[in-house]
């Protein structure tokens, strides 16, 4: 890899709502930086960054793709992320390892539901960001509406850095408010940027807006504030330096505009990435926890320090095998060297290192702090693993994995393909931790679970095209869960005598409900040796193994605490197995006594509909047990936000098209799990 100094690195993500133009923006960046010699268009199925067959067929991004380009003597590592909520894990794990984000918004639609989700994810990881209002060439494109939306809906403190010249098809140029110059774009694909004086009719507005920028910059620099108050001259460079500080401190999101499809404004956006987004040296040192000592370690971006890297994505390549995408935080890693996986404690040999350009590979000898690359040879890694130069290294913060909310059974058309299907699903689960599959012993079915209908559709499609396994998919099912509402104090006793050595396990366990989302917790309060220490872990394991089959409908049981406080044992007959069985018996009894209830996934649904159909849409949402949260009237439509149980949303796309003559659209994302009403619960349990 290049030997640029770390201040010349930019690790950025392109993130936004579906169809805001993220991939088109990335394609233009690759073209203008000389990486691509031809622009690949999404609508033609030729985008470089959308390399999967499923992406090209659907015209959407499904998996985050990494690439590297160079601009103004800086190395820019770019990750293009999906916009569809079903693939939110791709955004989550990308933001975990990026230093900055370009948040792309459609200038016509402003802030949309998935852009809110992306913004929240960036907030979670404290990622500085700038705003790009795309599609300024479209009728209704409004740069200032995007800024207002970002400020009102996202509390993003967006600040206009540019002024568009003309609108819709007459959008001809962009005024840079700091330098007071206007840029126009000419030549093949707008490759030439020509700077000229600001047209007279814009002069007054430019001065007003520039004063707002200087005023904002003064908030981030005391010397500049003093100059501003004394009405002294302030240079363009001073303004940029102060604003950069504001971006790095997450106090301002600088806003730029353009149209990637019509090749206007992307070079200026690249300039903004270099001028305002952080290098690895500008972000706080990442924190890790020393496994043995439990102390916090701060890992600075230093190429000469010990090697630390985070595996944030895993991909199976048909030519080189498993690729582990790694963000390097410190030190350097050479091909052929060894690293330790802190989670497993195992030592692994890195046989090769490749720099990725979408799905193409360029082999390199070494990567170092600030780099994003893929390593080959690591056998036992999962998303979120920490790689380190020594086995006593610190464990970096892992990646939050969303819970699947929908499931379906799959079986191969050819019975001989069962093993091949299982291997393929295992590979996909390793690549995408938000996808899971299990084999149901009771029904003999393989059940796949994911984040939505499209997610599972893509999985099945990949089985057919990539893995050559033809499968039959069963009916979609909601991923219900079970929990308890009150305390239960139960005994579990397993005694078996069959001639020789018997089995004896005896436990007393209290089960108590926990707050929603807290999961399962086990506490050992046994005193006086009533249960020997070696049998405590089997008790916990017995409960954990029972969690996946609740007492109501056999759904996973969540959000409760089990406290083991007493029991007894037999010197000869007691065994780990006996205590496991006793614990599972206690679990079943305890759940029945503790008022079990079903939990269902609730989805946040946002419908954009013409005013004429608003009554029909709202009535339909109410009939689906939906709860209307609000309405936002816009120029030519109404935006309705509601919470609806996932179980009542199957087939909604077709229904919505039908009732609005195809003029309404909707997005849906997981919100939370809530208790199912008693009447509905009885119906679900009866069907199960």
């Amino acid at each position: 890899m290049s030997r640029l100094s770390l201040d010349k690195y930019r690790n950025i993500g392109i993130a936004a709502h579906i169809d805001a133009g993220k991939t088109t923006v990335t394609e233009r960046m690759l073209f203008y930086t000389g990486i691509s010699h031809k622009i690949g268009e999404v609508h033609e199925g030729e985008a470089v960054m959308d390399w999967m067959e499923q992406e090209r067929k659907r015209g959407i991004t499904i998996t985050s793709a990494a690439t590297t380009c160079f601009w103004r003597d800086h190395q820019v590592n770019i990750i293009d992320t999906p916009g569809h909520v079903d693939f939110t894990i791709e955004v989550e794990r990308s933001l975990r390892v990026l230093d900055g984000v370009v948040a792309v918004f459609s200038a016509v639609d402003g802030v949309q539901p998935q852009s809110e989700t992306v913004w929240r994810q960036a907030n979670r990881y404290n990622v500085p960001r700038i705003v790009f209002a795309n599609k300024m060439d479209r009728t209704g494109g409004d740069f200032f509406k995007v800024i207002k939306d970002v400020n009102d809906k996202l509390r993003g403190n967006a600040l206009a850095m540019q002024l568009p010249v003309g609108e819709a098809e007459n959008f001809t140029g962009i005024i840079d408010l700091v330098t007071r110059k206007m840029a126009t774009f000419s030549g093949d694909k707008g490759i030439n940027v020509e700077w000229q004086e600001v047209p007279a009719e814009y002069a007054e507005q430019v001065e007003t807006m520039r004063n707002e920028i200087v005023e904002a910059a003064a908030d981030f620099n005391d010397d500049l504030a003093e100059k501003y108050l004394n009405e002294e001259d302030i240079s363009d460079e001073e303004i940029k330096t102060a604003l950069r500080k504001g971006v790095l401190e997450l106090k301002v999101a600088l806003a730029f505009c353009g149209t990637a499809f019509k090749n206007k404004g992307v070079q200026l956006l690249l300039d903004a990435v270099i001028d305002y987004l952080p290098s690895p040296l500008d972000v706080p040192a990442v924190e890790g926890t020393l496994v043995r000592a439990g102390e916090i370690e701060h890992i600075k971006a230093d190429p000469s320090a010990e090697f630390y890297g985070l595996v944030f994505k895993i991909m199976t390549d048909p030519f080189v095998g498993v690729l582990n995408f790694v963000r390097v935080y410190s030190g350097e890693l050479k091909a052929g060297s060894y690293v330790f996986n802190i989670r497993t404690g195992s030592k692994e040999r890195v046989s090769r290192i490749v720099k990725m350009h979408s799905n193409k590979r360029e082999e390199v000898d070494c990567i170092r702090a600030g780099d994003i690359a893929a390593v080959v040879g690591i056998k036992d890694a999962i998303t979120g693993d920490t790689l380190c130069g020594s086995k006593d290294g610190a464990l970096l913060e892992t990646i939050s994995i969303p819970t699947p909310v929908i499931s379906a059974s799959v079986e191969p058309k050819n019975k001989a393909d069962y093993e091949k299907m299982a291997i393929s699903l295992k590979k996909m689960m390793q690549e995408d931790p938000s996808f899971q599959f299990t084999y149901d012993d009771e029904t003999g079915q393989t059940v796949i679970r994911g984040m939505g209908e499209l997610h599972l559709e893509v999985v099945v499609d990949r089985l057919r095209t990539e893995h050559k396994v033809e499968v039959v998919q069963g009916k979609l099912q909601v991923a219900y869960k079970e929990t308890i509402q009150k305390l239960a104090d139960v005994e579990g006793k397993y005694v078996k005598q069959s001639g020789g050595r018997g089995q004896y396990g005896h436990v007393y366990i209290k089960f108590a409900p926990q707050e929603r989302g807290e999961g399962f917790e086990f506490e050992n309060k046994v005193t006086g040796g009533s249960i020997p220490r070696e049998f405590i872990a089997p008790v916990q394991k017995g409960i954990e193994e029972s969690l996946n089959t609740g007492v109501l409908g056999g759904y996973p049981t969540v959000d409760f605490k089990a406290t083991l406080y007493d029991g007894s044992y037999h010197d000869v007959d007691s065994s780990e197995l006996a205590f496991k069985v006793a614990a599972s018996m206690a679990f079943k009894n305890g759940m029945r006594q503790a008022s079990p209830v079903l939990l269902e996934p609730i989805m946040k649904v946002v419908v954009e509909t013409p005013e004429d159909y608003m009554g029909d849409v709202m009535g339909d949402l109410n009939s689906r047990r939906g709860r209307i949260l609000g309405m936002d009237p816009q120029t030519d439509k109404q935006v309705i936000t509601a919470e609806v149980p996932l179980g009542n949303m199957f087939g909604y796309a077709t229904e919505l098209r039908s009732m609005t003559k195809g003029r309404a659209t909707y997005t849906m994302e997981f919100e939370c799990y809530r208790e199912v009403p008693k009447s509905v619960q009885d119906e679900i349990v009866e069907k199960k």
Side-chain angles (χ1 to χ4, degrees):
M1 286 223 170
S2 65
R3 287 296 170 194
L4 292 170
S5 59
L6 274 181
D7 63 323
K8 301 279 189 186
Y9 276 69
R10 298 290 182 273
N11 289 314
I12 66 162
I14 313 290
H17 183 90
I18 189 169
D19 203 31
K22 298 175 302 302
T23 301
T24 308
V25 168
T26 311
E27 295 294 323
R28 287 338 185 249
M29 285 181 166
L30 298 183
F31 178 73
Y32 295 132
T33 56
I35 296 296
S36 300
H37 301 295
K38 171 182 179 291
I39 291 178
E41 300 293 8
V42 174
H43 62 278
E44 292 171 0
E46 293 180 356
V48 173
M49 301 302 279
D50 285 348
W51 56 270
M52 283 173 70
E53 184 181 325
Q54 288 74 19
E55 293 177 314
R56 297 192 165 192
K57 196 159 66 178
R58 290 174 170 81
I60 63 169
T61 302
I62 290 170
T63 181
S64 53
T67 191
T68 300
C69 59
F70 294 86
W71 186 254
R72 281 173 39 189
D73 298 325
H74 285 68
Q75 177 175 317
V76 184
N77 297 321
I78 303 173
I79 297 183
D80 175 31
T81 64
H84 198 287
V85 70
D86 282 16
F87 310 105
T88 189
I89 179 65
E90 294 290 339
V91 184
E92 184 84 25
R93 59 187 176 185
S94 299
L95 288 174
R96 169 66 184 82
V97 298
L98 291 169
D99 300 327
V101 163
V102 176
V104 179
F105 298 90
S106 160
V108 179
D109 300 301
V111 171
Q112 294 170 278
Q114 187 58 14
S115 40
E116 289 186 47
T117 305
V118 168
W119 198 272
R120 281 200 307 270
Q121 288 170 312
N123 284 341
R124 185 182 307 143
Y125 293 116
N126 295 319
V127 184
R129 68 217 75 151
I130 58 177
V131 168
F132 183 66
N134 192 27
K135 304 189 178 183
M136 288 296 296
D137 59 308
R138 298 271 186 96
T139 303
D142 186 341
F143 180 42
F144 299 102
K145 175 184 178 292
V146 171
I147 291 172
K148 186 177 185 303
D149 264 11
V150 169
N151 290 335
D152 292 349
K153 295 180 181 178
L154 306 177
R155 297 176 184 171
N157 196 20
L159 176 69
M161 296 296 289
Q162 296 174 335
L163 179 62
V165 176
E167 56 186 42
E169 65 271 13
N170 297 319
F171 174 62
T172 54
I174 299 167
I175 296 170
D176 183 318
L177 294 170
V178 175
T179 61
R180 301 184 186 94
K181 296 284 185 186
M182 183 177 85
T184 56
F185 306 87
S186 62
D188 180 38
K189 305 290 185 187
I191 200 161
N192 300 320
V193 183
E194 293 163 0
W195 292 96
Q196 50 203 267
E197 295 303 314
V198 172
E201 64 267 30
Y202 287 95
E204 190 177 332
Q205 189 180 358
V206 166
E207 287 307 314
T208 303
M209 292 179 71
R210 190 178 190 276
N211 278 337
E212 289 172 6
I213 288 174
V214 175
E215 200 174 312
D219 288 341
F220 309 121
N221 185 297
D222 293 340
D223 293 340
L224 196 146
E226 199 173 318
K227 280 189 174 185
Y228 176 69
L229 292 170
N230 294 331
E231 297 184 0
E232 296 175 32
D233 284 341
I234 297 171
S235 71
D236 296 349
E237 210 50 53
E238 284 177 304
I239 295 170
K240 286 183 178 181
T241 302
L243 288 176
R244 186 169 198 270
K245 184 171 181 282
V247 171
L248 301 188
E249 292 173 354
L250 305 177
K251 289 177 180 172
V252 67
L254 307 180
F256 304 85
C257 63
T259 163
F261 184 56
K262 292 293 177 68
N263 312 303
K264 293 183 175 76
V266 176
Q267 296 99 316
L268 309 190
L269 179 62
L270 277 164
D271 284 338
V273 166
I274 304 304
D275 289 337
Y276 301 111
L277 286 181
S279 75
L281 296 174
D282 296 316
V283 294
V286 292
E287 287 188 354
T289 307
L290 289 165
V291 179
R292 291 187 181 176
E295 296 168 1
I296 298 296
E297 176 113 332
H298 290 87
I299 297 146
K300 293 179 180 174
D302 180 359
S304 61
E306 184 173 37
F307 171 75
Y308 269 100
L310 186 80
V311 177
F312 69 94
K313 179 180 168 70
I314 294 169
M315 189 173 100
T316 304
D317 187 291
F319 301 104
V320 297
V322 177
L323 291 169
N324 291 273
F325 283 73
V326 174
R327 161 69 198 264
V328 184
Y329 285 105
S330 77
E332 66 174 30
L333 179 67
K334 293 180 178 175
S337 62
Y338 288 87
V339 292
F340 288 90
N341 184 330
I342 301 300
R343 177 182 62 88
T344 63
S346 59
K347 188 177 183 180
E348 305 258 20
R349 184 176 181 272
V350 175
S351 56
R352 295 162 67 191
I353 302 173
V354 291
K355 187 166 71 171
M356 298 301 293
H357 177 51
S358 185
N359 66 329
K360 296 184 174 65
R361 303 167 306 278
E362 176 194 332
E363 200 149 335
V364 293
D365 297 326
C366 174
I367 50 176
R368 61 177 195 150
D371 281 326
I372 292 176
V375 299
V376 182
I378 295 175
K379 296 182 180 67
D380 182 24
I382 59 172
T383 297
D385 274 358
T386 302
L387 303 181
C388 182
S390 73
K391 64 178 178 182
D392 296 323
L395 193 65
L396 302 179
E397 181 196 352
T398 188
I399 293 166
S400 171
I401 309 294
T403 308
V405 294
I406 195 168
S407 64
S409 62
V410 288
E411 58 178 84
K413 286 183 179 176
N414 180 356
K415 301 295 179 190
D417 280 346
Y418 257 109
E419 192 178 342
K420 190 177 176 185
M421 181 183 78
I423 292 168
S424 303
L425 289 173
K426 196 172 180 184
K427 281 182 183 175
M428 281 194 269
M429 193 162 84
Q430 189 184 21
E431 291 176 13
D432 176 4
S434 67
F435 164 71
Q436 296 172 5
F437 83 97
T438 52
Y439 181 75
D440 191 324
D441 290 321
E442 287 183 25
T443 61
Q445 289 180 318
T446 300
V447 178
I448 57 174
R449 295 183 174 86
M451 300 304 297
E453 292 181 61
L454 180 62
H455 192 188
L456 296 189
E457 191 183 309
V458 168
V459 166
V460 170
D461 200 5
R462 287 185 65 195
L463 276 174
R464 290 175 184 142
T465 55
E466 283 178 40
H467 301 280
K468 310 300 180 203
V469 180
E470 284 293 328
V471 295
V472 178
Q473 182 181 325
K475 191 180 172 186
L476 291 167
Q477 304 285 336
V478 178
Y480 293 106
K481 293 182 179 180
E482 299 182 20
T483 192
I484 56 175
Q485 293 178 294
K486 66 179 190 182
L487 291 165
D489 189 342
V490 294
E491 177 187 19
K493 194 169 189 179
Y494 178 62
V495 182
K496 188 178 180 185
Q497 209 64 44
S498 54
R501 181 181 168 181
Q503 295 284 359
Y504 184 93
H506 182 209
V507 294
Y508 286 98
I509 302 175
K510 287 178 182 172
F511 294 97
Q514 299 221 96
E515 289 294 318
R516 197 73 66 242
E518 285 191 8
F520 165 65
E521 185 184 340
F522 177 80
E523 186 177 10
N524 171 29
K525 280 197 169 178
V526 172
T527 56
S530 56
I531 300 177
R533 188 177 296 170
E534 65 265 26
F535 296 138
I536 303 296
V539 171
Q540 182 175 349
K541 198 168 182 186
I543 298 173
E544 287 173 347
E545 287 179 359
S546 304
L547 289 178
N548 288 328
T549 49
V551 296
L552 280 175
Y555 299 108
T557 310
V558 296
D559 302 336
F560 73 96
K561 181 178 180 178
T563 305
L564 172 67
Y565 69 93
D566 201 1
S568 63
Y569 71 102
H570 188 280
D571 287 335
V572 177
D573 292 349
S574 284
S575 66
E576 290 190 3
L577 176 63
F579 274 94
K580 264 177 72 174
V581 175
S584 66
M585 290 165 69
F587 169 81
K588 289 280 190 287
N589 293 333
M591 293 299 110
R592 289 192 187 97
Q593 292 176 31
S595 297
V597 289
L598 275 191
L599 301 174
E600 62 183 345
I602 303 294
M603 311 303 283
K604 181 182 175 187
V605 180
V606 180
V607 184
E608 296 183 0
T609 176
E611 183 94 36
D612 301 351
Y613 305 106
M614 190 176 75
D616 292 341
V617 170
M618 287 177 67
D620 181 69
L621 288 171
N622 283 323
S623 73
R624 296 170 185 270
R625 289 198 289 126
R627 186 161 68 98
I628 307 296
L629 299 179
M631 289 170 290
D632 180 15
Q634 296 192 0
T635 314
D636 56 347
K637 63 190 174 189
Q638 280 278 356
V639 179
I640 302 166
T641 305
E643 289 181 343
V644 192
L646 174 61
N648 293 3
M649 287 301 291
F650 292 146
Y652 184 64
T654 308
E655 290 280 333
L656 185 65
R657 273 198 298 270
S658 172
M659 85 176 85
T660 63
K661 298 188 171 72
R663 293 174 63 196
T665 59
Y666 83 102
T667 57
M668 179 170 77
E669 66 176 300
F670 171 70
E671 184 73 15
C672 63
Y673 268 89
R674 271 201 208 121
E675 193 179 319
V676 177
K678 184 73 171 71
S679 58
V680 180
Q681 176 175 301
D682 292 343
E683 198 180 310
I684 293 166
V685 171
E686 195 178 319
K687 278 184 187 173
K688 182 75 173 178

